[in-house]
Structure formats: structure tokens, C-alpha cells
Amino acid sequence: MIKVAIFGQGLVAAHYVAGLYRLKKGEIEPYGVPLAKYKLPYSWNDQEVVLSYDVDQRKVGKSLKEAVKEALEPVVPVPDEVPEIKIREGVLANSSQGLDKMFPIRGRDQEKGLKEAVEEIAEELSGADVDVVLNIISTEPATPFESIDALREAIEKGNVSAAQAYAYATYLASKKMGKPVAFINLIPTPLANDPAFVKLYEEANSLVLGDDGATGATPLTADILEHLAERNRKVKYIVQFNIGGNTDFLALTIPERNLMKEKTKSSVVEDILGYDAPHYIKPTGYVEPLGDRKFVAMDIEWITFNGLVDELIINMRINDSPALAGLAVDLVRISKALVEKGVKGTFYDVNAFYMKNPGPKDAKNKARIKAYYDMIESLKGLGILEA
Ligand SMILES: NC(=O)c1ccc[n+]([C@@H]2O[C@H](COP(=O)([O-])OP(=O)(O)OC[C@H]3O[C@@H](n4cnc5c(N)ncnc54)[C@H](O)[C@@H]3O)[C@@H](O)[C@H]2O)c1
């Protein structure tokens, strides 16, 4: 069994939970789970959600089943098998900017201080014998620490972001349990890209995967750029925007939060083309009636043979949250298999396919069509996939 803890019980988490228990019942096909056709040491049938945390006071104290129902029904049916565990209060740390304008928030660090709150959460994670942690809280502003000493000092002073606090609590829990834990960071906060966290996890034989799940337009842009690069076409510009109506997009209307997304999305251009073509790649707006099915538009021009100019225009509407939830189903089982093979710190070959900003620090983005096959080879080499 893989015991899973969730930080951030929002729309992605709701789709993960409902989809997982529907998969277990055989109610849906595993579409959107990239490695579904491969046999791994673990399947989705082995995943069980044992803990969930949030800071939205409307969710804290509710049962997981009730919160998932409220988020998804009547559009997606929520099976009875979804656990009735109570959603627990997380920490606000340095990450409350603007959230309180969207909903009432509270964190347990407000009363007892961050260090004590982190230790308490570590205690809960180890008490529940957690194997894998999914971090899917709202996008937050955060900077990497680079060194373990600087990170430890910031924890003492309570000067970290919420995701950094959860990653530290998970590290403490792993030490306490004496077993490896995998922390999957699906948001832009640099964790797999922060040498401090990678070293810390290495020391605990644990694994941090990240950063920022690659869904929507970014992996498609990466593959189109690869196509153009392979044919030596010279890209003149790339413009891409996303407009959505879910609370993730609402949170991104707060400038510091939007900046984090921009950072993780833009590295793709230079990494794949080898030069920095002029580009504008950002989530650009919140329009409530669009809901979770966001609107993406893309325009790319390039110079082809004999100096002529071609152009590609794409428009799409995509369900945002289920896309990431499908990746999470895979990442939970892959990360558990990886730590059992002794893989620790972070693991580029998996990050390069599933993440927008694959760690470790300075690792390059590559086209997902390449990353996919490289990952398959690497997992076969480790004996996680059948050769
Ligand atoms: N396809 C995608 O939807 C996609 C792709 C890549 C990354 N992401 C990232 O996943 C995250 C979640 O997206 P979502 O659509 O579920 O958003 P959401 O707004 O529905 O959910 C976020 C949840 O996190 C909670 N939260 C905020 N701060 C917290 C804290 N300090 N501790 C615990 N919980 C906290 C919020 O209350 C909310 O319930 C976002 O950061 C988003 O950028 C999403």
C-alpha cells in the first residue's frame, strides 16, 4: 500500500481523490495517466489517501469525501469509498498574500509559531506512516535557500513559504520513521530546484520531485519547439496565453503569485531552441465563467528555407485540474518505486517529463516527446518497468 498525504485540498486534489477511487472501482479508464499501459511495482489500486491539509476555513474540519463532493458534484461523481478523514489545518507561513481576499484562512502557525507547527505536522505524517506527499497548494511566492544551514535558520525564524514548510516537515517525518518518503512538488515553488532541499532529502534517503506539474500548453509548446529545432527553422517569436476561471487563476491575479508561474514556464524556450526567441508565455487572466476548462491560444512564427515565414496558430479549451491529477496518479506510484530502489535527492529523468521546471537546479527543459522515451529507458534500467 502507498499511503498518501495531500497539502492543498483544491480542485486538482479533488480530481486526484475522486479519479483515484473511481479507477480503483474500475468505473473509469486510466486516460490521462501517462504510464497506464506499463506494469509498475505499484498501481493506483495500492494508493490510499490518509491525510489532507488546507488553510481554507470552509474546508478545514470537513471530511475529505464531503469536500471532494462539494468541489466536483454533479459534474464528476464521487465514489462512496473516498475516505471520511477530516481535513486538517495547515500552515500559512509566508504565503498568505491575497488568499484572505478569496476565502477565510487560518494556519496553525498563527498561534504556536511556525517551527512548532512544522514539528507537529511531521509528527502527524509519521503517525500515519506516510509514503508519498503531494504538494498542490495555491501558487505562492518563494525563493530557494541554496544551503541547508540557511534553510534551517529560516525554519527557526519562521521565514519560509508554506510549501517549504511542508517539504521540511516531510523530511522530519522521514527521519522520524526511519524510512524514505517522496515529496512531489506540483507547484512552482523551487524545491527540486533548491540544492538545500535536494541535499536534505538525500541525507534522509528520501526524494523530492518537481517543480510545477507540466500540463496544458507548456508541454505542447515544448514539443512544437522541438519539432522546429529539429528542422533548423528559426523561431521569430512565441506568444501564448492562458485564461481560466478556477481559483488557481484567481490566485494568479495577485502579482507575486503570477510571477512564479512566469518563471517556471519561460525556461522552456532557450532550453529547447538553444537561443532565446522573443516570447510572452504567461497565465494572463481570470474570467470566472470559463471555469476549469481554460482557454489557451498560441501563435508562433518561424523562418523556413529560402527565408520565407511560416506561422502556427493554436486555440484550445482544456480541463486544467484533471490533467494534473492524472499525472499525480502516476507520480505517486513511480516515486514509491524509486525510493525503494534507493533513488534519493531528486530524479531528473522523471522530472523532465512530468514537470515544467525539472530539478535539479540548472537542469534543462527538454521536449516531452524526448523526455518520455528517456524516462522509459531510465525506469527500465532501474528495473521499475519491465524491459
Ligand atoms: N493543470 C493544473 O491545474 C496545474 C498545473 C500545474 C500546476 N498547478 C498548480 O497546482 C496548484 C493547485 O491548483 P488547483 O487548481 O487545485 O488550485 P485551487 O485553488 O483549487 O487549490 C489550492 C488549494 O490550496 C489551498 N492552500 C493555499 N495555501 C495553502 C497552505 N498554505 N496550506 C495548505 N493549503 C493551502 C487552498 O485553500 C486551496 O484549497 C496550484 O499551485 C497550481 O499552480 C496546477
Side-chain angles (χ1 to χ4, degrees):
M1 216 230 284
I2 311 175
K3 293 182 182 146
V4 181
I6 296 173
F7 288 103
Q9 191 52 54
L11 211 48
V12 174
H15 276 286
Y16 168 73
V17 173
L20 174 66
Y21 287 89
R22 294 181 79 200
L23 271 173
K24 285 177 178 233
K25 282 178 88 175
E27 214 177 275
I28 50 169
E29 294 293 331
Y31 300 137
V33 180
L35 298 191
K37 68 175 180 198
Y38 289 97
K39 196 170 155 17
L40 275 85
Y42 295 96
S43 91
W44 39 83
N45 291 325
D46 302 308
Q47 302 179 27
E48 202 65 59
V49 181
V50 295
L51 285 172
S52 172
Y53 292 84
D54 209 286
V55 292
D56 180 341
Q57 284 311 294
R58 300 166 306 176
K59 293 178 185 167
V60 174
K62 258 193 194 142
S63 87
L64 180 64
K65 196 201 286 184
E66 201 185 338
V68 173
K69 275 176 179 281
E70 272 178 24
L72 300 184
E73 280 184 349
V75 181
V76 173
V78 177
D80 246 12
E81 288 76 4
V82 170
E84 306 247 12
I85 51 169
K86 291 255 172 297
I87 297 175
R88 300 181 185 217
E89 190 169 274
V91 296
L92 293 177
N94 282 351
S95 308
S96 55
Q97 300 93 326
L99 277 189
D100 53 349
K101 292 195 186 75
M102 303 196 295
F103 42 77
I105 54 169
R106 209 180 66 207
R108 58 172 92 178
D109 50 326
Q110 285 172 303
E111 266 161 39
K112 47 181 66 121
L114 184 82
K115 187 162 181 263
E116 203 185 320
V118 164
E119 281 164 2
E120 202 176 87
I121 290 174
E123 199 67 51
E124 293 170 13
L125 294 171
S126 63
D129 195 28
V130 161
D131 299 295
V132 177
V133 172
L134 285 173
N135 180 41
I136 13 183
I137 67 171
S138 311
T139 307
E140 53 168 25
T143 44
F145 287 102
E146 310 288 341
S147 83
I148 295 185
D149 287 347
L151 166 60
R152 288 219 163 97
E153 198 185 317
I155 294 277
E156 290 290 332
K157 292 186 176 147
N159 193 18
V160 295
S161 77
Q164 289 166 334
Y166 295 140
Y168 196 78
T170 303
Y171 152 79
L172 291 179
S174 146
K175 296 281 271 188
K176 210 178 285 270
M177 292 186 283
K179 74 166 189 184
V181 180
F183 188 95
I184 301 171
N185 181 39
L186 295 170
I187 77 165
T189 299
L191 295 177
N193 278 281
D194 185 346
F197 276 100
V198 172
K199 276 206 202 91
L200 204 66
Y201 271 63
E202 216 170 76
E203 181 217 301
N205 294 321
S206 286
L207 185 66
V208 53
L209 294 179
D211 297 306
D212 201 8
T215 64
T218 315
L220 182 62
T221 308
D223 285 350
I224 292 170
L225 293 181
E226 173 69 18
H227 175 96
L228 297 172
E230 283 171 6
R231 285 153 187 83
N232 197 25
R233 292 169 181 158
K234 177 73 195 276
V235 174
K236 290 181 69 185
Y237 67 80
I238 303 146
V239 289
Q240 180 205 298
F241 68 75
N242 291 259
I243 298 178
N246 57 27
T247 52
D248 183 26
F249 275 87
L250 182 59
L252 292 177
T253 56
I254 302 158
E256 307 96 300
R257 291 180 185 263
N258 199 334
L259 195 64
M260 291 301 291
K261 275 282 177 202
E262 205 179 314
K263 274 191 194 153
T264 67
K265 279 173 190 247
S266 288
S267 66
V268 107
V269 177
E270 192 165 357
D271 285 353
I272 294 174
L273 293 180
Y275 54 90
D276 194 19
H279 62 272
Y280 179 100
I281 302 179
K282 293 182 198 184
T284 31
Y286 170 75
V287 178
E288 202 263 329
L290 288 185
D292 197 38
R293 205 155 62 93
K294 69 179 180 185
F295 173 54
V296 179
M298 201 192 300
D299 180 13
I300 305 177
E301 260 192 14
W302 62 86
I303 306 172
T304 188
F305 191 59
N306 259 341
L308 296 173
V309 174
D310 295 339
E311 183 174 17
L312 171 85
I313 296 175
I314 290 174
N315 281 337
M316 53 186 182
R317 288 287 302 276
I318 37 184
N319 286 287
D320 205 18
S321 310
L324 187 54
L327 303 190
V329 170
D330 247 1
L331 281 163
V332 167
R333 62 196 194 125
I334 294 170
S335 63
K336 172 75 173 152
L338 284 174
V339 293
E340 286 186 351
K341 291 284 179 193
V343 178
K344 55 189 174 175
T346 190
F347 192 61
Y348 174 70
D349 287 342
V350 167
N351 295 337
F353 177 67
Y354 288 97
M355 304 292 174
K356 280 193 196 99
N357 189 19
K361 188 184 172 193
D362 298 329
K364 285 215 164 45
N365 243 305
K366 59 179 160 181
R368 296 315 186 270
I369 31 177
K370 275 169 83 181
Y372 180 83
Y373 290 105
D374 291 350
M375 173 178 69
I376 299 285
E377 282 314 306
S378 153
L379 293 179
K380 278 182 183 165
L382 284 166
I384 288 173
L385 287 188
E386 278 166 22

